[in-house]
Amino acid sequence: MEIAIVLLVIAFIFITRSVKVVPQQNSWIVERLGKFHLALNPGLNLLVPFIDRVAYKHSLKEIPLDVPSQICITKDNTQLQVDGILYFQVTDPMRASYGSSNYIMAVTQLAQTSLRSVIGKLELDKTFEERNIINSQIVAAIDEAALNWGVKVLRYEIKDLTPPKEILLAMQSQITAEREKRALIAASEGRRQEQINIATGEREAFIARSEGEKMAAINKAQGEAAAITAVADATAQAIERVATAIRQPGGELAVQLKVAEQAVVAYSKVASQAKTTLIVPSNMTEVSSLISSAMTMLQVNKAAP
C-alpha cells in the first residue's frame, strides 16, 4: 500500500513537471539542462521532467509603464518637471529573457535619458507647443535600443510639464497681456468697422436721396412737359375748330358779331374809367370800322391797370 502511494506521488510529480498549460497572450521560455530550448506557445505543452524547466514567463500584452517624474533643463536654461507614461510590448520572448537582466528598468532609464536629451534641444515655449514631436522622438530613441531586449516601444505620452512658480507667474502675466492686447485690437476693429458701416450707410442714403430727387425732378419736368403739350394740343384743336367754323357759311358774320360784342364791352369798361380819354370813330355804322375800333379798345383794355 505504501509503495502504491509512493508511485502515485511520483506519477503526480512527473505529470506536473511534464505538462504545462500556457495562457493566451503569454510565452514561457524553457531551458534544457540550463540552456535555452524553446518558447512555449499558448495551450497544452509537454516537457521532459527534471531535464526541462520553465525559466521565464512573459506577457505579450501591451504594458503601460509609468516613468518617474524628473527635472529637465530646456535650451534657454529653464527647469521643467516632466513625467510621462510609456507603452511597450514584448515581441521576442527569448531576447527579453537573455538580452537584459531587467528590461523594464532598462526601458524606464532609457526613457528618462531620452526625455532629458530631447527637452534640452527645445526652448520653453516649444516644449508646450510640440508635445507630439517630443513623444515621437523619445519613442524613436528608445525603440532603436529596445530591439536587443526583445521589446517594442509603442508610444510615449507626456502627462505633465510643470515649470517653476516664477515662470508660471511670468507666463500668466504674458497670457493676460496678450489677451488684453487682443481685446483692444478687437475693440478698435469693431469701432473701425462701425465707422465704415456708418459712412457706407450715409453714402448710400445720400445716393438714394439724390436718386429720389433726380427722379422727382424728372417726373416733374415730364409732367410739366406733358401739361404744356396737352394745352398746346387743346389750343391747336380749338383754333382748328374755330377755323373750321369760320369757313362754314355765316362763320365770318358770327366772328364779326362776336368781335362787335367784345368791342361794346371794351368801350363800356374804358368809358367807366374817369382818367381814360376815349376817341370814338365818326362812322360807327360800318362793321370794319367797328371791328378796328373794337380791336383798339381791346388792346387799350389789356394795357390798362
Side-chain angles (χ1 to χ4, degrees), residues 1-12:
M1 184 65 181
E2 294 179 355
I3 297 175
I5 294 175
V6 171
L7 293 176
L8 184 61
V9 170
I10 294 173
F12 177 78

Side-chain angles (χ1 to χ4, degrees), residues 143-163:
D143 195 37
E144 183 178 358
L147 291 176
N148 295 327
W149 306 331
V151 175
K152 172 66 176 177
V153 178
L154 302 176
R155 59 189 179 277
Y156 179 85
E157 297 291 341
I158 295 177
K159 292 194 299 184
D160 193 15
L161 288 171
T162 307

Side-chain angles (χ1 to χ4, degrees), residues 256-270 284 289-298:
Q256 292 176 1
L257 179 59
K258 185 67 175 178
V259 172
E261 291 177 356
Q262 293 181 355
V264 172
V265 174
Y267 273 114
S268 64
K269 289 183 179 180
V270 173
M284 294 292 292
S289 298
L290 180 60
I291 292 174
S292 299
S293 298
M295 296 299 293
T296 302
M297 290 300 103
L298 289 173

Side-chain angles (χ1 to χ4, degrees), residues 225-241:
I228 293 172
T229 302
V231 171
D233 291 340
T235 303
Q237 291 178 3
I239 293 172
E240 183 179 358
R241 290 182 181 180

Side-chain angles (χ1 to χ4, degrees), residues 100-288:
S100 174
S101 60
N102 190 339
Y103 62 84
I104 294 179
M105 181 180 293
V107 170
T108 302
Q109 294 297 322
L110 187 57
Q112 289 181 319
T113 55
S114 300
L115 179 61
R116 288 195 296 269
S117 176
V118 174
I119 294 294
K121 298 177 183 178
L122 299 175
E123 295 180 354
L124 177 62
D125 294 338
K126 295 295 183 180
T127 57
F128 295 97
E129 298 174 1
E130 300 181 357
R131 285 196 176 190
N132 292 332
I133 297 177
I134 296 174
N135 295 337
S136 61
Q137 290 181 355
I138 293 174
V139 169
I142 300 175
D143 195 37
E144 183 178 358
L147 291 176
N148 295 327
W149 306 331
V151 175
K152 172 66 176 177
V153 178
L154 302 176
R155 59 189 179 277
Y156 179 85
E157 297 291 341
I158 295 177
K159 292 194 299 184
D160 193 15
L161 288 171
T162 307
K165 294 182 179 180
E166 296 79 7
I167 301 298
L168 282 176
L169 293 176
M171 292 174 65
Q172 290 176 356
S173 300
Q174 181 181 2
I175 292 173
T176 302
E178 185 67 23
R179 289 179 178 175
E180 292 177 352
K181 175 183 175 182
R182 292 179 182 178
L184 292 175
I185 292 174
S188 63
E189 288 291 335
R191 290 192 297 268
R192 173 175 173 270
Q193 189 63 39
E194 180 183 5
Q195 294 175 358
I196 292 173
N197 293 338
I198 292 174
T200 303
E202 292 178 352
R203 179 173 63 86
E204 293 178 354
F206 178 77
I207 293 173
R209 286 195 298 269
S210 63
E211 289 291 334
E213 293 174 356
K214 175 183 175 183
M215 293 302 298
I218 292 173
N219 293 335
K220 182 178 179 182
Q222 290 177 350
E224 292 177 353
I228 293 172
T229 302
V231 171
D233 291 340
T235 303
Q237 291 178 3
I239 293 172
E240 183 179 358
R241 290 182 181 180
V242 171
T244 303
I246 291 173
R247 287 194 295 269
Q248 298 295 326
E252 293 182 0
L253 294 176
V255 172
Q256 292 176 1
L257 179 59
K258 185 67 175 178
V259 172
E261 291 177 356
Q262 293 181 355
V264 172
V265 174
Y267 273 114
S268 64
K269 289 183 179 180
V270 173
S272 64
Q273 297 177 0
K275 296 181 180 181
T276 303
T277 302
L278 179 63
I279 300 175
V280 180
S282 61
N283 189 5
M284 294 292 292
T285 59
E286 295 180 2
V287 177
S288 60

